[in-house]
Amino acid sequence: MKISESSVDDTRPRVRMRPKTDARRIRFGYPWCYANEIVTDRRTKALTPGSLVILEDENRNPLGLAAVNPISKIFARLIDLDPAADVNQEWFAHRINKALSLRDQLFNEPYYRLVHAEADGLPGIVIDRFGDTLVIQPNAAWADQRIKMLTAAAVEVTGAECVVKNSSGRARNLEALDDVTTIVFGKLPPMPVKVPMNGAIYMADLMGGQKTGLYYDQRPNHRFVQDLANGARVLDVFSHVGGFGLAALAGGAESLICVDSSEPSLELAAQAAEAMGVKEIFNIRHGDAFSVLSTLNDERELFDLVVCDPPAFAPARQSLDAGLRAYERIARLSATLVAENGILVLCSCSHAADLEKFRGASLRGIGRAGRKPVLIHTSFAGPDHPLLPQLAESGYLKALFFRL
Ligand code: SAH
């Protein structure tokens, strides 16, 4: 059965941009209209979160169809240039299909981010694919309300056998949405699922794990580390389920220590090492990364390859200074553990710390450790995380590869 939005007519509410606001930006592809850019009155305030409206410029020319949330700073998200578009299952299927065709071009196996929100024409919607299981994050009200239609469309396009709705996204809070993760289609396969990537095997827990179970965004950076890893002693700090470390082992690393404060994540990394047949050279240190790094320094340990991929220390502008100091500390504590001519990889997934600021903090830390770096490579998220060039905010991930 197809699920359809009640059919559209011209009674769709209209929301107009204020005089002197930049509607051209939206015409050129910027997908959001902020609360302070629209004419507010009783009618706009009364709009239900997630409802669809026709967004107009100051002269009442339609800009397109938008999904609104009057309680969010992002008042309207443009979802179709056609103000009369019928947002039904076919509409979702068309967008998901378009997203799928890019991933089909990029990957041989069905393990990737299938939909990356705005850049795939589905604002606020993230879908990660793990073979026959999809994990959907509806991070905006309009998507949350249409989860049935979205799920039906995703199943239609991919043939998935199970769909998990993951509600852990931080943005859901801003849209006043709950945090309950549920299975919305089919039956969950046995957990964890085995995910092949870069010749390694990862174990992903799609129900209890962080994010949607695995960090696909680091795939090309895992690969870059792998290509440098032959014969190396590797330290993977903030390892989660072993993203960098297991890739390094698949690339011929001599030994690996994974460091994380999450015991379940380290347990999944250990299971994966066993599945890869490299259990003997796999080790863990469970605990706070700052103190584990200090201990390793006290023990005068040295590694040929050290990776630090912490959680966002500066997720928002208010936390920028404290975040940059934390990045600097991580760089200082890890640089001293790198053997002469070894590699140090420093990552940041903070929106607020841009590349220049993050590189600056990293260089200060390395300098304070008394080491001389050269930058051999700078990288970002993989191509299954496309960017809308107009949305600088969506370019969060940075990875710096130094040789010391
Ligand atoms: N490197 C991983 C992703 C890391 S996500 C990959 O490529 O797949 C960040 C990780 O940092 C999470 O697993 C989280 O549990 C861990 N973490 C957060 N704070 C920490 C801390 N203070 N000490 C150690 N680990 C921490």
Side-chain angles (χ1 to χ4, degrees):
M1 194 199 72
K2 304 264 169 177
I3 304 169
S4 176
E5 183 105 345
S6 57
S7 68
V8 185
D9 52 41
D10 44 10
T11 61
R12 248 178 195 165
R14 290 166 186 265
V15 168
R16 192 165 11 108
M17 291 183 76
R18 284 196 183 147
K20 302 209 171 70
T21 46
D22 190 4
R24 209 176 51 165
R25 184 165 78 149
I26 291 181
R27 283 217 168 80
F28 288 173
Y30 191 86
W32 298 340
C33 187
Y34 295 94
N36 61 8
E37 293 179 307
I38 57 145
V39 179
T40 27
D41 51 25
R42 250 185 323 129
R43 211 178 35 88
T44 53
K45 280 190 197 134
L47 287 167
T48 7
S51 56
L52 303 184
V53 305
I54 297 173
L55 184 66
E56 298 177 335
D57 68 10
E58 56 180 293
N59 301 315
R60 299 181 194 272
N61 302 310
L63 293 162
L65 185 66
V68 297
N69 192 343
I71 59 173
S72 163
K73 265 193 207 161
I74 302 176
F75 188 95
R77 298 164 186 259
L78 203 74
I79 63 166
D80 203 304
L81 291 174
D82 174 7
D86 190 0
V87 179
N88 52 22
Q89 188 177 325
E90 280 81 24
W91 184 92
F92 277 107
H94 180 74
R95 303 234 158 162
I96 297 171
N97 210 10
K98 196 168 162 186
L100 177 65
S101 70
L102 169 65
R103 279 65 180 183
D104 276 345
Q105 253 181 309
L106 291 168
F107 305 112
N108 292 323
E109 290 176 291
Y111 299 88
Y112 41 68
R113 173 147 299 184
L114 171 61
V115 168
H116 192 52
E118 272 68 2
D120 283 307
L122 291 166
I125 299 174
V126 166
I127 306 179
D128 281 349
R129 180 171 193 182
F130 300 87
D132 290 331
T133 303
L134 303 177
V135 180
I136 301 186
Q137 289 190 306
N139 291 332
W142 80 281
D144 198 68
Q145 281 167 7
R146 291 166 180 80
I147 184 70
K148 278 197 181 146
M149 218 190 277
L150 173 59
T151 299
V155 168
E156 175 195 328
V157 171
T158 62
E161 287 166 7
C162 174
V163 179
V164 175
K165 174 187 165 192
N166 178 304
S167 303
S168 67
R170 258 191 303 127
R172 285 178 63 89
N173 217 350
L174 306 174
E175 299 260 329
L177 299 169
D178 68 58
D179 60 0
V180 186
T181 289
T182 53
I183 294 160
V184 287
F185 175 79
K187 190 170 160 282
L188 193 71
M191 287 294 124
V193 285
K194 266 191 194 174
V195 179
M197 192 157 70
N198 288 319
I201 296 170
Y202 297 94
M203 296 290 182
D205 177 1
L206 308 185
M207 288 302 281
Q210 298 166 32
K211 244 184 160 183
T212 57
L214 205 68
Y215 290 86
Y216 283 133
D217 53 355
Q218 290 280 24
R219 179 191 324 240
N221 306 326
H222 294 161
R223 180 57 197 257
F224 197 86
V225 159
Q226 178 168 64
D227 290 344
L228 296 167
N230 196 21
R233 295 159 294 172
V234 178
L235 178 66
D236 181 0
V237 188
F238 304 98
S239 65
H240 189 233
V241 298
F244 284 97
L246 295 172
L249 288 184
E254 183 187 289
S255 66
L256 166 66
I257 301 178
C258 282
V259 179
D260 205 284
S261 58
S262 154
E263 232 171 333
S265 298
L266 291 173
E267 174 53 32
L268 290 169
Q271 282 180 34
E274 173 139 33
M276 287 169 66
V278 290
K279 211 175 95 192
E280 289 72 34
I281 49 174
F282 172 87
N283 300 282
I284 54 174
R285 296 257 184 144
H286 172 232
D288 172 59
F290 291 90
S291 53
V292 174
L293 286 171
S294 300
T295 309
L296 290 170
N297 273 298
D298 293 344
E299 294 168 1
R300 304 205 166 275
E301 289 283 349
L302 282 180
F303 301 87
D304 306 299
L305 224 166
V306 177
V307 182
C308 297
D309 179 21
F313 287 147
R317 230 165 294 157
Q318 308 86 275
S319 51
L320 179 60
D321 290 340
L324 290 174
R325 280 195 299 277
Y327 286 121
E328 181 181 325
R329 251 183 93 204
I330 287 292
R332 177 171 60 78
L333 288 168
S334 55
T336 42
L337 295 172
V338 178
E340 186 78 29
N341 296 327
I343 302 289
L344 176 62
V345 184
L346 299 174
C347 307
S348 160
C349 56
S350 297
H351 287 284
D354 62 17
L355 178 61
E356 207 180 311
K357 292 196 184 78
F358 172 59
R359 199 172 44 209
S362 301
L363 290 178
R364 280 194 298 281
I366 297 172
R368 286 179 61 201
R371 300 301 297 269
K372 293 266 177 301
V374 289
L375 185 60
I376 61 171
H377 184 54
T378 298
S379 179
F380 305 93
D384 51 345
H385 293 61
L387 278 184
L388 214 50
Q390 295 87 350
L391 260 195
E393 287 97 321
S394 48
Y396 59 101
L397 186 69
K398 292 139 302 250
L400 305 175
F401 298 75
F402 296 102
R403 186 167 192 252
L404 307 189

